[in-house]
Amino acid sequence: MTDNELLLAISEIVEKKIRAEVEPLKSDIQQIKNEQIRINIIIENEIRSDIQLLAENYIPAAKRYEKATAQIEAIQADMEVMKSIIREHSQKLQNIS
């Protein structure tokens, strides 16, 4: 066997080994790409629409909460005034009787 024939035989063996190693990697990469496409579809069709729906409902709810907070604070202040007046009137009525 000549040097060229030996080199050619070694080259073929190395090429077969490399192909044997690369083919599973190609398959794995394709599976990862397919999974990525599936995940992107889920994100696009389900998650984004859910987030959009949450945002559409959150903003009005947050504004209502902000308004209600101010109203609740005003009601609490009014209640404190009313309690004070009721205590005062109760004491005056007790003094009268």
Side-chain angles (χ1 to χ4, degrees):
M1 190 178 261
T2 67
D3 286 344
N4 284 340
E5 291 173 336
L6 187 58
L7 286 173
L8 187 58
I10 291 172
S11 174
E12 287 177 12
I13 292 171
V14 168
E15 189 177 328
K16 285 180 185 178
K17 284 255 186 204
I18 290 174
R19 279 190 189 151
E21 295 286 328
V22 170
E23 287 305 316
L25 293 175
K26 284 182 179 180
S27 174
D28 289 347
I29 289 171
Q30 188 58 46
Q31 287 175 352
I32 291 170
K33 285 180 179 180
N34 291 340
E35 187 65 17
Q36 179 187 8
I37 290 169
R38 190 182 74 77
I39 290 169
N40 286 344
I41 289 170
I42 290 170
I43 288 171
E44 184 69 33
N45 294 336
E46 295 176 21
I47 296 173
R48 282 191 180 168
S49 62
D50 289 346
I51 290 172
Q52 181 67 31
L53 184 61
L54 282 172
E56 288 171 0
N57 289 319
Y58 173 78
I59 292 171
K63 287 180 181 178
R64 283 193 311 272
Y65 173 76
E66 197 174 329
K67 245 189 216 179
T69 301
Q71 290 174 340
I72 290 170
E73 288 172 357
I75 291 170
Q76 286 175 332
D78 290 346
M79 289 296 292
E80 289 302 317
V81 170
M82 288 175 61
K83 284 180 184 179
S84 174
I85 292 171
I86 290 171
R87 275 190 217 107
E88 186 182 320
H89 287 177
S90 293
Q91 194 168 24
K92 286 181 181 178
L93 284 173
Q94 204 170 24
N95 289 339
I96 291 174
S97 30

XYZ file of all heavy atoms in Angstrom:
784
model
N 0.856 -1.165 0.000
C 0.000 0.000 0.000
C 0.904 1.231 0.000
O 1.822 1.344 0.797
C -0.889 -0.044 1.244
C -1.958 0.967 1.212
S -3.028 0.864 2.651
C -4.407 -0.029 2.045
N 0.595 2.161 -0.887
C 1.411 3.366 -1.007
C 0.987 4.380 0.047
O -0.049 4.248 0.703
C 1.258 3.995 -2.401
O -0.062 4.467 -2.523
C 1.614 3.032 -3.499
N 1.803 5.380 0.169
C 1.506 6.441 1.142
C 0.187 7.138 0.814
O -0.608 7.429 1.705
C 2.641 7.475 1.166
C 3.884 6.952 1.863
O 3.783 5.937 2.587
O 4.953 7.569 1.695
N -0.042 7.388 -0.487
C -1.282 8.048 -0.890
C -2.490 7.184 -0.574
O -3.528 7.687 -0.127
C -1.251 8.391 -2.378
C -0.372 9.596 -2.667
O -0.089 10.378 -1.765
N 0.055 9.723 -3.903
N -2.375 5.903 -0.839
C -3.487 4.985 -0.549
C -3.728 4.920 0.956
O -4.877 4.903 1.415
C -3.194 3.589 -1.088
C -3.201 3.504 -2.599
C -2.746 2.155 -3.106
O -2.020 1.448 -2.373
O -3.127 1.820 -4.235
N -2.673 4.922 1.722
C -2.785 4.896 3.175
C -3.439 6.176 3.686
O -4.337 6.136 4.530
C -1.392 4.712 3.805
C -1.354 4.511 5.312
C -2.177 3.303 5.727
C 0.086 4.338 5.781
N -3.009 7.303 3.152
C -3.608 8.583 3.536
C -5.076 8.641 3.140
O -5.917 9.149 3.893
C -2.838 9.745 2.904
C -1.471 10.067 3.509
C -0.770 11.133 2.667
C -1.606 10.518 4.945
N -5.393 8.127 1.968
C -6.774 8.100 1.520
C -7.619 7.210 2.422
O -8.740 7.578 2.796
C -6.843 7.612 0.064
C -8.199 7.691 -0.617
C -8.729 9.116 -0.626
C -8.116 7.152 -2.022
N -7.116 6.068 2.810
C -7.831 5.155 3.702
C -8.043 5.806 5.066
O -9.133 5.735 5.652
C -7.070 3.844 3.838
N -6.984 6.461 5.575
C -7.101 7.155 6.875
C -8.120 8.279 6.766
O -8.956 8.478 7.656
C -5.718 7.686 7.323
C -4.800 6.517 7.682
C -5.867 8.638 8.501
C -3.357 6.924 7.962
N -8.091 8.994 5.672
C -9.030 10.091 5.454
C -10.467 9.592 5.441
O -11.349 10.208 6.032
C -8.687 10.789 4.139
O -9.635 11.758 3.834
N -10.711 8.480 4.767
C -12.062 7.910 4.724
C -12.526 7.470 6.116
O -13.677 7.684 6.496
C -12.102 6.741 3.744
C -12.048 7.156 2.298
C -12.016 5.962 1.332
O -12.268 4.829 1.784
O -11.743 6.196 0.155
N -11.611 6.864 6.870
C -11.953 6.424 8.232
C -12.295 7.626 9.112
O -13.295 7.631 9.830
C -10.797 5.598 8.844
C -10.657 4.264 8.107
C -11.026 5.363 10.331
C -9.408 3.481 8.486
N -11.471 8.659 9.032
C -11.695 9.872 9.827
C -13.009 10.528 9.418
O -13.804 10.960 10.255
C -10.501 10.838 9.691
C -10.827 12.203 10.267
C -9.258 10.258 10.335
N -13.258 10.574 8.102
C -14.498 11.168 7.597
C -15.717 10.403 8.103
O -16.710 11.005 8.527
C -14.474 11.196 6.072
C -15.617 11.992 5.477
C -15.528 12.074 3.954
O -14.405 12.084 3.430
O -16.594 12.118 3.341
N -15.657 9.075 8.090
C -16.767 8.252 8.597
C -16.983 8.509 10.085
O -18.114 8.626 10.551
C -16.499 6.774 8.342
C -16.687 6.351 6.918
C -16.408 4.868 6.734
C -16.484 4.483 5.259
N -16.167 3.062 5.062
N -15.893 8.608 10.829
C -15.988 8.872 12.269
C -16.628 10.235 12.517
O -17.492 10.382 13.369
C -14.600 8.822 12.916
C -14.061 7.464 13.120
C -14.178 7.149 14.575
C -13.486 5.817 14.840
N -13.995 5.202 16.014
N -16.165 11.222 11.775
C -16.709 12.581 11.935
C -18.191 12.593 11.589
O -18.995 13.183 12.312
C -15.909 13.597 11.089
C -14.514 13.781 11.686
C -16.643 14.926 11.003
C -13.586 14.646 10.857
N -18.563 11.948 10.484
C -19.984 11.885 10.105
C -20.803 11.204 11.194
O -21.911 11.647 11.510
C -20.151 11.129 8.788
C -19.868 11.960 7.597
C -20.274 11.255 6.321
N -19.790 12.013 5.182
C -19.470 11.487 4.029
N -19.579 10.186 3.833
N -19.047 12.245 3.045
N -20.260 10.125 11.744
C -20.958 9.402 12.806
C -21.156 10.296 14.031
O -22.168 10.189 14.728
C -20.186 8.137 13.180
N -20.197 11.167 14.295
C -20.301 12.075 15.439
C -21.214 13.259 15.129
O -21.928 13.738 16.000
C -18.906 12.605 15.817
C -17.936 11.549 16.314
C -18.263 11.072 17.721
O -18.775 11.866 18.515
O -18.001 9.886 18.002
N -21.188 13.744 13.904
C -21.925 14.953 13.530
C -23.414 14.676 13.316
O -24.255 15.518 13.647
C -21.281 15.598 12.275
C -22.161 16.696 11.712
C -19.902 16.127 12.614
N -23.766 13.543 12.787
C -25.171 13.242 12.490
C -26.067 13.345 13.725
O -27.130 13.974 13.662
C -25.312 11.872 11.818
C -24.851 11.840 10.381
C -25.519 12.872 9.496
O -26.758 13.047 9.594
O -24.803 13.505 8.702
N -25.687 12.756 14.865
C -26.536 12.935 16.046
C -26.628 14.403 16.482
O -27.681 14.849 16.941
C -25.843 12.103 17.137
C -24.989 11.133 16.415
C -24.610 11.799 15.139
N -25.548 15.151 16.303
C -25.576 16.571 16.646
C -26.549 17.329 15.756
O -27.293 18.191 16.226
C -24.179 17.178 16.533
C -23.140 16.692 17.548
C -21.780 17.289 17.229
C -23.557 17.006 18.957
N -26.540 17.004 14.476
C -27.493 17.634 13.549
C -28.924 17.326 13.966
O -29.786 18.208 13.957
C -27.251 17.148 12.120
C -26.056 17.746 11.452
C -25.945 17.232 10.019
C -24.766 17.816 9.284
N -24.671 17.309 7.910
N -29.166 16.082 14.344
C -30.494 15.677 14.788
C -30.895 16.432 16.052
O -32.023 16.918 16.164
C -30.513 14.167 15.032
O -31.736 13.771 15.588
N -29.958 16.536 16.989
C -30.242 17.271 18.228
C -30.533 18.738 17.951
O -31.460 19.318 18.520
C -29.051 17.164 19.194
C -28.910 15.774 19.794
O -29.856 14.963 19.675
O -27.844 15.496 20.394
N -29.757 19.338 17.063
C -29.963 20.749 16.705
C -31.330 20.929 16.062
O -32.049 21.886 16.365
C -28.828 21.259 15.791
C -27.538 21.375 16.602
C -29.195 22.600 15.161
C -26.307 21.662 15.770
N -31.738 20.017 15.217
C -33.039 20.114 14.570
C -34.161 19.982 15.607
O -35.150 20.708 15.543
C -33.196 19.037 13.479
C -34.445 19.221 12.647
C -34.492 20.587 11.967
O -33.525 21.049 11.387
N -35.639 21.238 12.058
N -33.981 19.079 16.565
C -34.976 18.934 17.632
C -35.082 20.218 18.458
O -36.181 20.651 18.811
C -34.622 17.756 18.546
C -34.862 16.412 17.915
C -34.387 15.268 18.813
O -33.758 15.473 19.829
N -34.713 14.050 18.408
N -33.930 20.830 18.737
C -33.927 22.089 19.493
C -34.623 23.186 18.697
O -35.415 23.956 19.243
C -32.481 22.496 19.853
C -31.921 21.528 20.887
C -32.429 23.933 20.369
C -30.430 21.675 21.137
N -34.368 23.252 17.399
C -35.035 24.245 16.555
C -36.548 24.027 16.550
O -37.318 24.981 16.650
C -34.493 24.191 15.127
C -33.122 24.796 14.969
C -32.650 24.704 13.526
C -31.287 25.338 13.348
N -30.813 25.250 11.960
N -36.966 22.769 16.428
C -38.398 22.460 16.432
C -39.036 22.858 17.762
O -40.139 23.408 17.800
C -38.635 20.980 16.149
C -38.294 20.599 14.732
O -38.221 21.447 13.841
N -38.052 19.317 14.504
N -38.338 22.578 18.856
C -38.846 22.939 20.183
C -38.908 24.453 20.343
O -39.858 24.982 20.908
C -37.966 22.316 21.275
C -38.480 22.492 22.665
C -39.796 21.783 22.939
O -40.184 20.882 22.164
O -40.444 22.131 23.935
N -37.928 25.147 19.820
C -37.918 26.600 19.874
C -39.111 27.172 19.104
O -39.760 28.106 19.561
C -36.615 27.152 19.311
C -36.558 28.666 19.326
C -35.333 29.210 18.617
O -34.592 28.472 17.985
N -35.126 30.503 18.725
N -39.389 26.614 17.956
C -40.539 27.055 17.158
C -41.826 26.828 17.947
O -42.690 27.699 18.020
C -40.573 26.324 15.798
C -39.427 26.810 14.916
C -41.919 26.517 15.100
C -39.192 25.977 13.662
N -41.935 25.651 18.586
C -43.122 25.335 19.386
C -43.272 26.323 20.544
O -44.370 26.850 20.803
C -43.031 23.907 19.913
C -44.306 23.396 20.561
C -44.133 21.982 21.107
N -43.348 21.956 22.324
C -43.800 22.310 23.530
N -45.032 22.739 23.666
N -43.021 22.242 24.588
N -42.172 26.620 21.213
C -42.207 27.565 22.331
C -42.591 28.957 21.842
O -43.396 29.647 22.478
C -40.842 27.575 23.063
C -40.656 26.266 23.809
C -40.749 28.759 24.021
C -39.254 26.051 24.352
N -42.040 29.370 20.719
C -42.380 30.683 20.162
C -43.865 30.768 19.826
O -44.491 31.810 20.036
C -41.531 30.983 18.933
C -40.100 31.323 19.285
O -39.777 31.622 20.423
N -39.223 31.240 18.302
N -44.420 29.700 19.300
C -45.847 29.680 18.973
C -46.676 29.797 20.244
O -47.662 30.553 20.293
C -46.207 28.406 18.178
C -45.610 28.496 16.774
C -47.719 28.205 18.114
C -45.694 27.209 15.968
N -46.284 29.075 21.286
C -47.000 29.160 22.565
C -46.929 30.575 23.121
O -47.938 31.129 23.575
C -46.432 28.136 23.576
C -46.804 26.719 23.158
C -46.941 28.430 24.992
C -46.110 25.629 23.949
N -45.741 31.164 23.074
C -45.581 32.539 23.570
C -46.469 33.485 22.780
O -47.163 34.326 23.350
C -44.102 32.974 23.499
C -43.298 32.238 24.565
C -43.963 34.488 23.665
C -41.792 32.427 24.444
N -46.443 33.346 21.474
C -47.213 34.250 20.609
C -48.717 34.085 20.808
O -49.440 35.057 20.946
C -46.842 33.997 19.149
C -47.497 34.943 18.173
C -46.973 36.364 18.291
O -45.795 36.542 18.605
O -47.777 37.287 18.068
N -49.192 32.843 20.832
C -50.631 32.598 20.842
C -51.263 32.616 22.227
O -52.423 33.007 22.356
C -50.945 31.252 20.182
C -50.617 31.265 18.710
O -50.587 32.300 18.078
N -50.348 30.097 18.160
N -50.539 32.200 23.246
C -51.148 32.069 24.558
C -50.647 33.106 25.552
O -51.431 33.860 26.119
C -50.889 30.660 25.111
C -51.569 29.582 24.284
C -51.236 28.186 24.763
O -50.821 28.019 25.922
O -51.392 27.250 23.964
N -49.357 33.167 25.738
C -48.804 34.009 26.798
C -48.982 35.480 26.490
O -49.416 36.251 27.351
C -47.328 33.646 27.054
C -47.255 32.209 27.579
C -46.683 34.622 28.023
C -45.865 31.656 27.728
N -48.691 35.893 25.286
C -48.827 37.316 24.945
C -50.274 37.777 25.058
O -50.539 38.867 25.559
C -48.299 37.590 23.540
C -46.797 37.645 23.498
C -46.291 38.168 22.184
N -44.831 38.190 22.205
C -44.101 38.367 21.158
N -44.652 38.558 19.984
N -42.786 38.369 21.254
N -51.208 36.951 24.607
C -52.613 37.355 24.702
C -53.054 37.409 26.161
O -53.817 38.298 26.549
C -53.509 36.412 23.894
O -53.439 35.093 24.410
N -52.551 36.474 26.989
C -52.878 36.506 28.419
C -52.307 37.753 29.079
O -52.977 38.399 29.891
C -52.355 35.252 29.126
C -53.123 33.998 28.748
O -54.219 34.121 28.161
O -52.626 32.896 29.044
N -51.085 38.107 28.721
C -50.465 39.312 29.283
C -51.229 40.549 28.832
O -51.475 41.465 29.625
C -48.973 39.396 28.890
C -48.188 38.312 29.638
C -48.397 40.778 29.173
C -46.748 38.175 29.200
N -51.627 40.569 27.584
C -52.401 41.704 27.067
C -53.718 41.827 27.816
O -54.119 42.923 28.210
C -52.648 41.526 25.558
C -53.413 42.663 24.925
C -52.624 43.955 24.926
O -51.410 43.958 24.850
N -53.314 45.065 25.037
N -54.385 40.714 28.028
C -55.647 40.708 28.763
C -55.444 41.193 30.194
O -56.226 42.003 30.700
C -56.249 39.297 28.758
C -57.611 39.129 29.402
C -58.653 39.972 28.680
C -58.011 37.661 29.377
N -54.388 40.731 30.838
C -54.083 41.196 32.198
C -53.838 42.694 32.221
O -54.340 43.403 33.103
C -52.854 40.466 32.747
C -53.061 39.060 33.255
C -51.719 38.415 33.580
C -53.958 39.042 34.471
N -53.069 43.181 31.267
C -52.768 44.614 31.212
C -54.035 45.423 30.971
O -54.239 46.466 31.597
C -51.743 44.893 30.123
N -54.893 44.943 30.080
C -56.144 45.657 29.796
C -57.026 45.734 31.031
O -57.743 46.714 31.222
C -56.890 44.964 28.655
C -56.248 45.154 27.299
C -56.886 44.292 26.221
O -57.830 43.532 26.517
O -56.409 44.362 25.077
N -57.011 44.711 31.862
C -57.834 44.712 33.066
C -57.142 45.383 34.245
O -57.806 45.926 35.115
C -58.212 43.271 33.453
C -59.205 42.686 32.473
O -60.127 43.359 32.047
N -59.007 41.447 32.107
N -55.828 45.334 34.282
C -55.092 45.879 35.416
C -55.179 47.400 35.469
O -55.395 47.965 36.536
C -53.617 45.455 35.356
C -52.780 46.130 36.400
C -52.814 45.700 37.717
C -51.984 47.226 36.082
C -52.068 46.327 38.692
C -51.230 47.858 37.048
C -51.271 47.413 38.347
O -50.531 48.038 39.306
N -55.006 48.042 34.337
C -54.964 49.511 34.319
C -56.275 50.113 34.833
O -56.246 50.951 35.734
C -54.574 50.032 32.917
C -53.112 49.655 32.639
C -54.771 51.539 32.809
C -52.648 49.898 31.225
N -57.441 49.702 34.331
C -58.678 50.260 34.892
C -58.856 49.901 36.375
O -59.299 50.730 37.164
C -59.786 49.626 34.050
C -59.124 49.194 32.786
C -57.720 48.860 33.172
N -58.484 48.682 36.742
C -58.614 48.273 38.145
C -57.694 49.115 39.022
O -58.077 49.520 40.124
C -58.299 46.787 38.293
N -56.494 49.378 38.548
C -55.549 50.196 39.317
C -56.080 51.617 39.481
O -55.956 52.207 40.556
C -54.185 50.209 38.634
N -56.695 52.148 38.437
C -57.272 53.498 38.533
C -58.440 53.515 39.509
O -58.582 54.461 40.301
C -57.704 53.979 37.148
C -56.535 54.335 36.257
C -56.968 54.818 34.898
C -55.740 55.131 34.046
N -56.077 55.555 32.716
N -59.287 52.472 39.453
C -60.407 52.394 40.408
C -59.880 52.284 41.837
O -60.400 52.917 42.754
C -61.300 51.196 40.095
C -62.225 51.390 38.911
C -63.311 50.315 38.834
N -62.815 48.956 38.958
C -62.395 48.190 37.949
N -62.414 48.664 36.716
N -61.962 46.964 38.159
N -58.855 51.489 42.023
C -58.258 51.322 43.348
C -57.700 52.653 43.850
O -57.878 53.018 45.011
C -57.148 50.267 43.299
C -56.388 50.153 44.585
C -56.931 49.503 45.677
C -55.117 50.714 44.708
C -56.233 49.407 46.872
C -54.411 50.613 45.895
C -54.967 49.969 46.975
O -54.279 49.879 48.151
N -57.042 53.369 42.962
C -56.473 54.665 43.339
C -57.576 55.626 43.780
O -57.445 56.318 44.791
C -55.716 55.231 42.134
C -54.748 56.333 42.479
C -53.927 56.736 41.267
O -53.651 55.889 40.406
O -53.567 57.920 41.193
N -58.672 55.651 43.023
C -59.814 56.489 43.374
C -60.427 56.047 44.695
O -60.732 56.855 45.566
C -60.888 56.377 42.281
C -61.152 57.614 41.520
C -62.363 57.401 40.642
C -62.194 58.106 39.335
N -63.330 57.899 38.450
N -60.622 54.748 44.826
C -61.247 54.201 46.027
C -60.386 54.462 47.253
O -60.920 54.696 48.345
C -61.502 52.709 45.857
N -59.084 54.437 47.101
C -58.183 54.690 48.231
C -58.416 56.086 48.780
O -58.524 56.268 49.994
C -56.711 54.514 47.796
O -56.525 53.184 47.319
C -55.761 54.771 48.939
N -58.517 57.051 47.905
C -58.769 58.425 48.341
C -60.137 58.524 49.013
O -60.288 59.183 50.052
C -58.678 59.380 47.156
N -61.139 57.862 48.456
C -62.475 57.880 49.037
C -62.492 57.201 50.402
O -63.114 57.701 51.344
C -63.479 57.191 48.109
C -63.779 57.966 46.846
C -64.664 57.184 45.887
O -64.750 55.973 45.970
N -65.309 57.895 44.978
N -61.809 56.084 50.520
C -61.756 55.362 51.797
C -61.081 56.216 52.857
O -61.547 56.282 54.004
C -61.041 54.004 51.625
C -61.918 53.054 50.820
C -60.681 53.395 52.972
C -61.227 51.771 50.392
N -60.005 56.887 52.497
C -59.318 57.759 53.450
C -60.234 58.889 53.890
O -60.261 59.250 55.075
C -58.027 58.299 52.849
C -56.942 57.239 52.726
C -55.718 57.713 51.955
O -55.712 58.854 51.448
O -54.761 56.922 51.865
N -61.007 59.450 52.966
C -61.946 60.522 53.314
C -63.040 59.991 54.235
O -63.415 60.645 55.219
C -62.558 61.115 52.049
N -63.547 58.800 53.935
C -64.583 58.191 54.777
C -64.040 57.920 56.174
O -64.727 58.173 57.180
C -65.125 56.897 54.132
C -65.937 57.234 52.878
C -65.966 56.100 55.110
C -66.303 56.022 52.040
N -62.811 57.437 56.272
C -62.204 57.173 57.580
C -62.069 58.473 58.376
O -62.341 58.498 59.584
C -60.846 56.500 57.417
C -60.947 55.049 57.017
C -59.575 54.431 56.734
O -58.644 55.125 56.347
N -59.482 53.117 56.924
N -61.656 59.533 57.712
C -61.533 60.824 58.395
C -62.900 61.288 58.879
O -63.045 61.750 60.025
C -60.902 61.858 57.466
N -63.929 61.153 58.026
C -65.289 61.532 58.418
C -65.770 60.698 59.597
O -66.411 61.210 60.519
C -66.260 61.369 57.242
C -66.034 62.391 56.137
O -65.314 63.387 56.383
O -66.569 62.176 55.021
N -65.459 59.410 59.589
C -65.867 58.512 60.679
C -65.223 58.933 61.996
O -65.866 58.911 63.047
C -65.509 57.063 60.361
C -66.340 56.437 59.263
S -68.071 56.290 59.695
C -67.999 55.073 60.980
N -63.971 59.321 61.944
C -63.296 59.778 63.167
C -63.971 61.026 63.716
O -64.177 61.156 64.924
C -61.812 60.029 62.898
C -60.998 58.777 62.667
C -61.073 57.813 63.842
O -60.985 58.246 65.001
O -61.213 56.598 63.582
N -64.325 61.954 62.836
C -65.035 63.164 63.260
C -66.384 62.786 63.869
O -66.760 63.276 64.942
C -65.208 64.144 62.076
C -66.138 65.288 62.436
C -63.851 64.662 61.618
N -67.103 61.883 63.191
C -68.419 61.463 63.689
C -68.294 60.764 65.041
O -69.103 61.009 65.951
C -69.105 60.534 62.677
C -69.584 61.256 61.430
S -70.254 60.148 60.169
C -71.609 59.394 61.017
N -67.307 59.921 65.225
C -67.104 59.242 66.512
C -66.867 60.266 67.618
O -67.413 60.144 68.720
C -65.911 58.290 66.425
C -66.168 57.018 65.693
C -64.889 56.169 65.701
C -65.012 54.910 64.904
N -63.747 54.135 64.910
N -66.051 61.237 67.304
C -65.748 62.274 68.284
C -67.015 63.036 68.674
O -67.277 63.275 69.860
C -64.707 63.215 67.708
O -64.486 64.295 68.562
N -67.811 63.404 67.693
C -69.050 64.144 67.952
C -70.036 63.271 68.730
O -70.694 63.742 69.676
C -69.668 64.646 66.625
C -68.766 65.733 66.021
C -71.076 65.173 66.831
C -69.137 66.155 64.618
N -70.149 62.006 68.358
C -71.067 61.091 69.060
C -70.641 60.924 70.513
O -71.470 60.937 71.428
C -71.144 59.734 68.331
C -71.876 59.909 67.006
C -71.826 58.682 69.195
C -71.838 58.695 66.098
N -69.348 60.786 70.760
C -68.863 60.680 72.139
C -69.232 61.937 72.933
O -69.694 61.867 74.075
C -67.342 60.495 72.151
C -66.898 59.095 71.999
C -65.393 58.944 72.273
N -64.854 57.954 71.349
C -64.091 58.190 70.304
N -63.693 59.418 70.034
N -63.691 57.222 69.526
N -69.005 63.077 72.288
C -69.311 64.353 72.937
C -70.801 64.465 73.248
O -71.199 64.830 74.355
C -68.862 65.499 72.033
C -68.995 66.877 72.641
C -68.574 67.958 71.653
O -67.587 67.754 70.934
O -69.257 68.992 71.613
N -71.639 64.122 72.269
C -73.093 64.195 72.466
C -73.552 63.177 73.503
O -74.445 63.470 74.317
C -73.831 63.995 71.158
C -73.737 65.162 70.226
N -74.280 65.158 68.973
C -73.153 66.388 70.351
C -74.033 66.301 68.371
N -73.351 67.070 69.200
N -72.963 61.984 73.467
C -73.322 60.961 74.451
C -72.999 61.451 75.849
O -73.774 61.258 76.794
C -72.576 59.652 74.182
O -73.007 59.081 72.990
N -71.861 62.083 76.013
C -71.468 62.601 77.317
C -72.424 63.722 77.762
O -72.838 63.782 78.920
C -70.037 63.095 77.269
C -69.457 63.325 78.635
C -67.959 63.535 78.576
O -67.427 63.941 77.546
N -67.288 63.250 79.674
N -72.792 64.627 76.836
C -73.728 65.695 77.159
C -75.088 65.130 77.561
O -75.710 65.589 78.524
C -73.890 66.649 75.976
C -72.709 67.568 75.767
C -72.937 68.500 74.591
C -71.738 69.394 74.380
N -71.919 70.286 73.219
N -75.548 64.087 76.805
C -76.847 63.473 77.146
C -76.777 62.769 78.500
O -77.735 62.810 79.278
C -77.245 62.459 76.066
C -77.762 63.046 74.753
C -77.958 61.938 73.718
C -79.068 63.790 74.977
N -75.676 62.196 78.790
C -75.508 61.515 80.085
C -75.499 62.547 81.217
O -76.062 62.307 82.282
C -74.213 60.721 80.076
C -74.208 59.572 81.053
C -72.997 58.694 80.820
O -71.993 59.134 80.281
N -73.120 57.449 81.239
N -74.898 63.684 80.968
C -74.880 64.746 81.985
C -76.278 65.328 82.210
O -76.609 65.731 83.305
C -73.928 65.870 81.602
C -72.476 65.442 81.696
O -72.165 64.476 82.393
N -71.590 66.140 81.015
N -77.087 65.361 81.147
C -78.449 65.894 81.246
C -79.321 64.955 82.081
O -80.142 65.390 82.883
C -79.070 66.097 79.849
C -78.359 67.253 79.138
C -80.555 66.383 79.949
C -78.801 67.454 77.707
N -79.136 63.638 81.904
C -80.029 62.736 82.602
C -79.596 62.475 83.997
O -79.032 62.765 84.814
C -80.171 61.389 81.942
O -79.099 60.927 81.241
